[in-house]
Amino acid sequence: AQEFLPLVRRHSRQWQIEEALVLAVMHTESAFNPMARSPVPAYGLMQIVPHSAGQDATELIYGKPLVVAPSYLYDAEKNIQLGVAYLHLLQTRYLQAITHPESRLYCAIAAYNTGAGNVARSYTGAGNIAKAAVLINQRPPGANYDHLQANLPYAETRTYLQRVVARLPAYRKL
């Protein structure tokens, strides 16, 4: 984590995302391996998928959606920039209707792995986050965490949420 902390700090400040969240996501996604590649395929430290999160983040950063090459995503700084920008989009655009910051955090972590639509599906059976937000906002954060653990459509995402949340306290101490 220390190796990437200066980049994480820069981009976290730029996009107003908690540094600990970025580090916990990086740890969970790639174990801090900038050359990581998953079968999805997702690339780099934050495991960016070029045709989904990559396009959303490049549109925010560059003003137009781009499908970036794996070589772009293997650059630690560019990967962190896109990953943090995508976390920003999740928290401030896609999941903005969720009023409690901790509930929004849990949903953003799950959405980083499976998409906001699948988070919504776990509440309503459909991909409409606005309708899901009504239900999310009626529950305390702990109940939302428990709901996600019980109802997210993929075991991988349930485990992912657990791991990221468990790693947050250690990275908050950095």
Side-chain angles (χ1 to χ4, degrees):
Q2 290 291 344
E3 177 182 351
F4 302 107
L5 196 52
L7 296 173
V8 169
R9 283 198 170 128
R10 179 177 331 131
H11 295 293
S12 292
R13 285 184 191 125
Q14 177 185 3
W15 296 108
Q16 300 171 336
I17 296 297
E18 182 185 12
E19 293 171 14
L21 174 60
V22 177
L23 292 166
V25 165
M26 284 173 51
H27 185 163
T28 306
E29 289 285 356
S30 69
F32 299 104
N33 175 3
M35 300 307 290
R37 182 185 188 279
S38 76
V40 170
Y43 301 93
L45 288 162
M46 297 193 73
Q47 289 292 279
I48 304 295
V49 178
H51 291 283
S52 58
Q55 283 188 300
D56 291 351
T58 56
E59 183 172 16
L60 178 65
I61 294 167
Y62 302 116
K64 60 182 177 178
L66 303 170
V67 177
V68 294
S71 58
Y72 183 96
L73 294 171
Y74 287 136
D75 178 293
E77 178 156 18
K78 292 173 182 171
N79 190 282
I80 292 168
Q81 180 185 35
L82 289 180
V84 176
Y86 186 63
L87 285 167
H88 173 84
L89 283 171
L90 288 171
Q91 291 198 357
T92 64
R93 187 178 300 171
Y94 303 143
L95 304 172
Q96 71 177 352
I98 301 170
T99 55
H100 196 287
E102 190 175 350
S103 290
R104 191 178 328 109
L105 173 67
Y106 295 146
C107 291
I109 292 167
Y112 191 90
N113 180 264
T114 194
N118 280 329
V119 171
R121 264 182 214 90
S122 78
Y123 284 90
T124 65
N128 185 322
I129 196 65
K131 289 181 181 176
V134 172
L135 299 175
I136 294 166
N137 290 336
Q138 293 172 358
R139 303 171 187 220
N144 281 310
Y145 178 86
D146 292 343
H147 177 89
L148 291 166
Q149 281 299 303
N151 296 288
L152 282 165
Y154 304 107
E156 174 194 333
T157 306
R158 294 188 298 270
T159 301
Y160 179 83
L161 175 61
Q162 259 180 336
R163 288 181 178 159
V164 173
V165 169
R167 289 174 171 143
L168 280 171
Y171 288 116
R172 284 179 174 147
K173 292 178 184 175
L174 274 181

